[in-house]
Structures are given as C-alpha cells and as structure tokens.
Amino acid sequence: MRRLLVEDPVTRAGPLARHLAVFSLLATGIALLVVRDPRADVSAALVALAAGLSVAVLAILAAAFAFVRVWREGARGLGAALGGLFLALLVLAYPAYAGLRGARLPALSDISTDPDSPPAFSRSRVAFAARDGRIPPEPPRAAREIQRKAYPQIAPLTLDIDADQAFELARQAALKRKWQIVEAIRPGGRMGQGRIDAIARGLVLNLPDDVTVRVRPRADGARIDVRSASRLGSRDFGGNADRIRAYLDDVSNLALATK
C-alpha cells in the first residue's frame, strides 16, 4: 500500500514580504547615502528614497496577507513573513515618527524668535550665491500668528554682556553646530547690529536650510534673534524650532562658561 503524503500549504506572501523588505532596506540605505551627498541631485535622491519607503509599505501588506493565510489555512511561511515585517518596520520607524510628530504641528517652514520683525537674510553676492540664488521671503502675517501659538517658547535671548561679546559667542555656537557661515558682520557701524548668515544641514537627510542670526546692542547688554528657514517643502516637522532652541542653548551655555 502506498502512503499518501499531504504537505501543508505554503504561502508565497511570506517570502515575498521578506524579499521586498530586504530590497527596501538596501534601496533606502543607498538613497540616504546619496541624498546626504551635497553634490548629488537632491530631487532624484528624494524620489529614490520615497520609492524605497513605498516598497517597505508593500512588504508590510504582503506580510499581513501571509499572516491571514497562516491563521486560516495553517500555511507555512510565518518565519519569512515575520522577518519581512521586522525589516519593513525598521525602515519605516523614523519616517513614521517624524510624520506623526509633524501631523501635530502646523505647516510652517520659516521660524523666527521675533515674529514681529524677523531677521532679514543678507542680500550680498556671497550670501546669495551660497544659498543657490535664493532669498527666503518674509513670512506672511498669518504664518507669524500661527507660529506664536505653536511655539510660544521660541523667543529672543538677552545677555548682560556687550554686543561684540554676544556676537562672538553667537559665532562660536554656530561653528560648534557645524554651520557653514557665509557672512559675519560684527555689531557697529550705521545700523549698530551684527549679523551672521549661515547654512545648516539636517541631521538625517543632510539637506540645507538657511539661518540668520541678528545681534542687537541694548542698554543692559545684547539681544540675539535667530531665524531658520527650510529650503524644501512647506512643512518642517518642527525642525527649525528645534534648531533655534538648540542653538540658543549653546549660546547661553557659552555665556555661562565665560563668567
């Protein structure tokens, strides 16, 4: 008599989820390396990065389909589906975090410590060229009101030292944060105020943003205002406010260290 061998069904969705997740991990990793290169075509690199993240979403869908077959039919392939799901979630973890955080914040891309009179970016030839021929426009009044409600803690820094000393601390803090200073004018002259124009890059994507620092003398010391504007998109996911807070904290710490 012949023995009838009955094999358990195997779901193809499990291995597919794993293959898609591995491809997504490799694609997003390569795209991330490319987009961080200042010489790269940013638009093309961002498209490649978005494509890699989309493949990760497909991997999750394939894993979910595999789980359904395993549950209903007892099909094999659970291990491959779990591996694919883990890798896909690993790829999507930070974008999901940034997206959820950004969803709670208003669509702003230009933040200033002085919404009433935001520091102006330099229009000199050197600064203009460093910003790739771009001068961030002054935020509209509606955007300034939204900023006041969303970031009430973003405020000027006042120091009980003279403006020239405050300017030097502001410059040192910019260098500490590895900003590319494209123009630095010390306080004095007809306007009396100092200015630092710089280019800052994001921690993850290394994309350039424009920053200007204004140092004004006061009767009791100096006042430092900062403005940070994104070059890409209409939503910064809180990045500009984070940059201003961290920078002013650095200036405050340097001021305390000099006392």
Side-chain angles (χ1 to χ4, degrees), residues 60-86:
I60 292 176
L61 294 176
F65 183 78
F67 294 151
V68 172
R69 286 210 59 195
V70 170
W71 176 262
R72 290 182 176 179
E73 305 172 19
R76 290 183 292 140
L78 178 62
L82 287 173
L85 178 63
F86 174 77

Side-chain angles (χ1 to χ4, degrees), residues 1 11 18-19 21-22 55 65 77 90 111 119 141 162 167 188 204 207 234 246:
M1 296 179 62
T11 174
R18 183 175 58 193
H19 294 329
V22 170
V55 174
F65 183 78
L90 185 65
I111 303 297
R141 186 172 298 277
D162 63 52
F167 174 87
V204 177
L207 297 176
S234 59

